[in-house]
Amino acid sequence: MHNPPKGRPLFRHALLAGVLSLAVLGGTGCDRESSLTGHMRVRHGEVWEDFPTPVSSVFLPKTKADATFSLNPVFTFCNSDDLSEERRDDARGLCVYGDFDSFAKGSGPEEYVIDGAVQFPAKGYEPRSDVYFEPGLGHTSGLKEVWTRSFCLDAERDETTLQQLSGRLVLEENSEDRLRGHLELTVEGQTGGTCPGDAAEVDLDFDLEN
């Protein structure tokens, strides 16, 4: 295990706690609990590393007017092999981000095909740090970009990451108070972040307060 520089552990523990807090932002205050089930996993060489449910999420809808100024993607789904309050120093996980040109609450069902390549420097912890997404021929317009980042507390990376992504995002319901659907994603190439794998697979069902 690498020894992180002094002054960083508290920051990293706070970051991991924030990423993995089991809360959904952008809700309406309803009593109904949000639900996320399924799996996320990362391949290292020939070995797959599975991350158990539950999955944490952040949902931040936005209009065209604030899309240019928002630093946060519309969707964030994260998982880890450690969901305890103490947070192990060797905790590992994966986050999936999805951003739109605009995303309105209550706009009804929709299905998006994910097909493209994304490149970004695997440095820092900002979700939108220099992400460049090149859509493929089958990619659905309006879905601006999709990408993943792996993370662990005891590692450092500063390399350019190139990912090839395919899958689909299905919104079975998008009402004023509910967002329900399914995300399937296959990633070929480095999963990015501080401890990148060689590939990733995501298969999630979500039912979120909107």
Side-chain angles (χ1 to χ4, degrees), residues 101-115:
D101 294 322
S102 63
F103 190 93
K105 294 193 301 182
S107 57
E110 187 65 80
E111 180 170 349
Y112 300 89
V113 175
I114 301 169
D115 174 23

Side-chain angles (χ1 to χ4, degrees), residues 60-182:
L60 299 171
K62 62 186 179 183
T63 64
K64 291 183 179 179
D66 62 19
T68 303
F69 303 100
S70 175
L71 297 178
N72 297 302
V74 172
F75 289 99
T76 301
F77 296 111
C78 293
N79 216 339
S80 173
D81 62 355
D82 178 23
L83 296 175
S84 66
E85 294 182 359
E86 289 79 12
R87 312 295 177 199
R88 298 194 323 265
D89 285 341
D90 62 346
R92 302 162 64 87
L94 178 73
C95 289
V96 180
Y97 304 96
D99 204 13
F100 292 76
D101 294 322
S102 63
F103 190 93
K105 294 193 301 182
S107 57
E110 187 65 80
E111 180 170 349
Y112 300 89
V113 175
I114 301 169
D115 174 23
V118 66
Q119 180 174 317
F120 58 87
K123 62 182 180 181
Y125 298 97
E126 299 80 4
R128 293 288 300 278
S129 177
D130 300 324
V131 173
Y132 298 98
F133 184 86
E134 181 67 29
L137 294 177
H139 190 75
T140 302
S141 61
L143 180 54
K144 184 178 180 181
E145 51 200 11
V146 180
W147 72 101
T148 68
R149 283 187 188 273
S150 298
F151 61 86
C152 50
L153 296 178
D154 63 341
E156 295 281 351
R157 297 290 293 208
D158 191 8
E159 297 178 6
T160 297
T161 294
L162 180 62
Q163 303 171 358
Q164 188 70 41
L165 303 103
S166 61
R168 63 187 186 127
L169 172 65
V170 179
L171 301 181
E172 299 170 0
E173 179 179 346
N174 178 12
S175 60
E176 286 296 327
D177 61 357
R178 188 180 187 187
L179 188 72
R180 179 173 54 87
H182 185 77

